[in-house]
Amino acid sequence: MEPTPFPEPSYPRAVLFDLLTALLDSWTLWNAAAGSAEQGRAWRARYLQLTYGCGAYEPYEDLVRRAARDTGLPASAPVFLEEQWDRLPPWDGARELLDALRPHCRLAVVTNCSRQLGVRAAALLGIDWDVIVTSEEAGFYKPDPRPYRMALDRLNVDARDAAFIAGSGYDMFGTAAVGLRTFWHNRVGLALPAAAPEPELQAARLEPALPWLQSFNDPALPSVDKERP
């Protein structure tokens, strides 16, 4: 009896990525700039409050500085953050995932920062990105739907034919509004924000994203059970 052949992978046409949390370890840099993990988390939480509440785009660097002041950090903290920007380390598994997807999918970044810092950070992954969209270009910060839609428009891909790799639970508000199936790389074990839609899959590492993407368009392929960090 002939063995049953494995089905061929069935990738999405495009995969969109959050950059500064899903692919790059920005947590460590923010904490180093703040002087401790506790201060770094407080600073970052205040920055997120400002970005989610500002509506139309305000300069990323201004919001980072304002959040530092609001949490009692010295002016040297945001200066250090920007000076060390090109040392943001990729999470382990990030480059391997991108290399595995490159022959099969178009690849894009959708990130909450300025154009200048977004392009610099995206270059750290060593990938020839098809599209890079920053909140500065879109005119709004995620999870407003406009940055995601801009990336899809530039890729010329419908949301139903694309996947999103999130780094923040807040991404779920935007991807649900656009219709993007979402994997949440929840590296530091954060709680899903109140009222946020569930991701299709979440994990504390990037490795489970590849089989999920390989079975994206083929219901006959085995699905990956949801994994909690």
Side-chain angles (χ1 to χ4, degrees):
M1 182 177 177
E2 292 291 327
T4 303
F6 288 107
E8 288 295 320
S10 181
Y11 295 90
R13 289 186 59 204
V15 183
L16 287 62
F17 290 86
D18 170 80
L19 177 62
L20 298 175
T21 311
L23 292 176
L24 297 173
D25 175 13
S26 57
W27 292 98
T28 297
L29 181 56
W30 279 70
N31 294 347
S36 73
E38 181 180 3
Q39 289 176 301
R41 288 215 178 193
W43 176 23
R44 191 164 183 147
R46 178 57 182 151
Y47 153 76
L48 291 173
Q49 289 177 338
L50 294 173
T51 57
Y52 296 145
C54 70
Y57 178 79
E58 295 182 26
Y60 172 83
E61 293 84 349
D62 290 352
L63 296 183
V64 171
R65 286 191 289 268
R66 191 189 314 171
R69 290 195 302 270
D70 290 351
T71 50
L73 291 175
S76 58
V79 171
F80 180 90
L81 182 71
E82 188 166 349
E83 286 177 347
Q84 299 298 310
W85 193 259
D86 295 319
R87 296 187 178 182
L88 283 164
W91 290 116
D92 53 290
R95 288 196 176 102
E96 291 82 355
L97 176 61
L98 294 169
D99 288 342
L101 294 174
R102 177 76 277 180
H104 307 285
C105 312
R106 304 194 74 199
L107 302 177
V109 158
V110 187
T111 185
N112 272 357
C113 64
S114 64
R115 174 68 184 176
Q116 183 233 147
L117 292 180
V119 169
R120 284 168 56 188
L124 299 174
L125 278 305
I127 286 289
D128 184 15
W129 297 98
D130 294 293
V131 167
I132 298 172
V133 168
T134 65
S135 49
E136 180 178 12
E137 295 165 278
F140 289 84
Y141 284 97
K142 298 183 302 174
D144 188 282
R146 279 166 273 208
Y148 310 93
R149 288 182 180 139
M150 177 178 282
L152 291 168
D153 288 345
R154 290 184 177 180
L155 290 164
N156 195 27
V157 172
D158 290 335
R160 66 176 177 269
D161 297 321
F164 191 82
I165 308 297
S168 165
Y170 287 95
D171 268 312
M172 262 49 80
F173 291 106
T175 59
V178 173
L180 280 166
R181 293 166 59 185
T182 303
F183 173 99
W184 182 14
H185 177 209
N186 189 5
R187 192 71 173 219
V188 296
L190 298 176
L192 189 69
E198 287 276 347
E200 187 166 324
L201 177 69
Q202 71 164 294
R205 300 183 63 82
L206 282 165
E207 285 82 358
L210 184 58
W212 177 70
L213 292 165
Q214 288 172 328
S215 63
F216 194 80
N217 287 314
D218 192 343
L221 287 174
S223 61
V224 180
D225 291 335
K226 283 189 176 182
E227 176 186 334
R228 298 295 178 184

